[in-house]
Amino acid sequence: MDWLGGQGMRFSVAELESAAALVHGQMSPTPQYHWPGLSAATGAEVWVKHENHAPTGAFKVRGGITFMDWLRREHPDSPGICTATRGNHGQSQARAATAAGLRALVYVPQGNSVEKNAAMRGYGAELVEFGEDFDTAKVEAMRVAGAEGLSVVPPFHRELVRGVATYGYELFSALKDLDTVYVPIGCGSGICGTILARDAFGLKTEVVGVVSDRAQTAKLSYEAGAMVETNSARTFADGMAVRVPVKEAFDIYGRGAARIVSVSEEEIADAMRLYYTATHNLAEGAGAAPLAALMQERERMAGKKVGVILSGGNIDMGWFRTVLEGGVPAV
């Protein structure tokens, strides 16, 4: 499997246009809406990029479309793919691989989201639970892929990121005057796609990364200027539950992000409730984290035009019930 370091990754507007054409062959562009209730709560003019409206309910579906197109062209004899996930990436890859007639072997950590697991199986994944967290499952997935002759789908790859960047292409095509965009960070494809789309358009919009204060590897790495692993990443915002930074992603957000903000479990839950009451949209933990960061920085952002990426809406019903009752899901 080809890898490309983030320092060498650039996209032209034409490359993003071609990726968008491919993606839009399977899904409609997601909307970006201005919500007065969110503006009233934060003091900013808030625009939400609704990746929760995408097929699979999350932005990752875009990368599955472009990655699978690349794989079928460059490795036509591949019998299938193997990857690791907490859920949204796995749904994307299983959906794309199954549609292409390929095997989709997907590793998740033990105790992973029941409903995300069911969704991945629904898209055709052979699901294996292994290890205590995503990073442990990822190591095993890479080993098994080699042993079984399957194509590795890493968490970061140029063709995967090019697909993910199409949400940034849509957002910046519609709103070229955003002061700031807040983006959650797990392995980093989302923030990197946003940065690369901004750079392709030559815009001055600041891109702010958001992590859980219980999974701070990206923030610590950004601030140290070097890769920093953490000992754990136990957050109910499972899309951000990463211990080990991805160098290719760090090479991009390390130079392209304005800053990285950490938010608490309580702040994420508050943002989920605000999304529901102000917009009646369901946001999973990682999807709500950008709004949580904006709420934390409301004084700094007062009066500005701000985008927040609602990256996904896939959360188990039991956890969401806990949130709506005013609590924080325990992990």
Side-chain angles (χ1 to χ4, degrees), residues 221-238:
S221 298
Y222 178 87
E223 293 173 350
M227 306 273 282
V228 178
E229 298 183 13
T230 59
N231 293 325
S232 66
R234 294 188 61 80
T235 169
F236 84 89
D238 52 5

Side-chain angles (χ1 to χ4, degrees), residues 106-215:
V106 178
Y107 278 74
V108 299
Q110 294 171 351
N112 197 56
S113 162
V114 173
E115 292 174 25
K116 285 182 178 177
N117 286 356
M120 285 183 278
R121 291 190 178 101
Y123 283 114
E126 297 174 38
L127 201 73
V128 179
E129 294 191 47
F130 183 92
E132 64 180 10
D133 58 25
F134 164 76
D135 294 284
T136 305
K138 181 176 70 173
V139 171
E140 179 66 4
M142 301 305 103
R143 184 192 70 78
V144 172
E148 300 197 12
L150 297 171
S151 297
V152 171
V153 185
F156 202 88
H157 182 280
R158 188 180 197 279
E159 287 304 311
L160 188 154
V161 176
R162 190 167 72 100
V164 167
T166 60
Y167 82 65
Y169 170 81
E170 294 169 9
L171 178 65
F172 293 128
S173 293
L175 300 167
K176 290 187 168 62
D177 59 345
L178 291 171
D179 293 295
T180 304
V181 176
Y182 289 86
V183 189
I185 305 178
C187 288
S189 65
I191 188 171
C192 292
T194 305
I195 289 169
L196 293 170
R198 176 203 63 187
D199 292 350
F201 280 110
L203 303 179
K204 296 181 179 179
T205 305
E206 289 192 339
V207 177
V208 177
V210 186
V211 299
S212 164
D213 65 5
R214 297 188 180 184

Side-chain angles (χ1 to χ4, degrees), residues 41 48 57 61 66 70 84 89-90 104 142 153 157 162 172 185 198 215 249 265 275 295 314 317 319 329:
V48 178
V61 68
T66 51
W70 170 86
H89 169 77
M142 301 305 103
V153 185
H157 182 280
R162 190 167 72 100
F172 293 128
I185 305 178
R198 176 203 63 187
E265 303 286 275
Y275 261 129
M295 293 168 68
N314 298 325
M317 183 171 63
W319 277 8

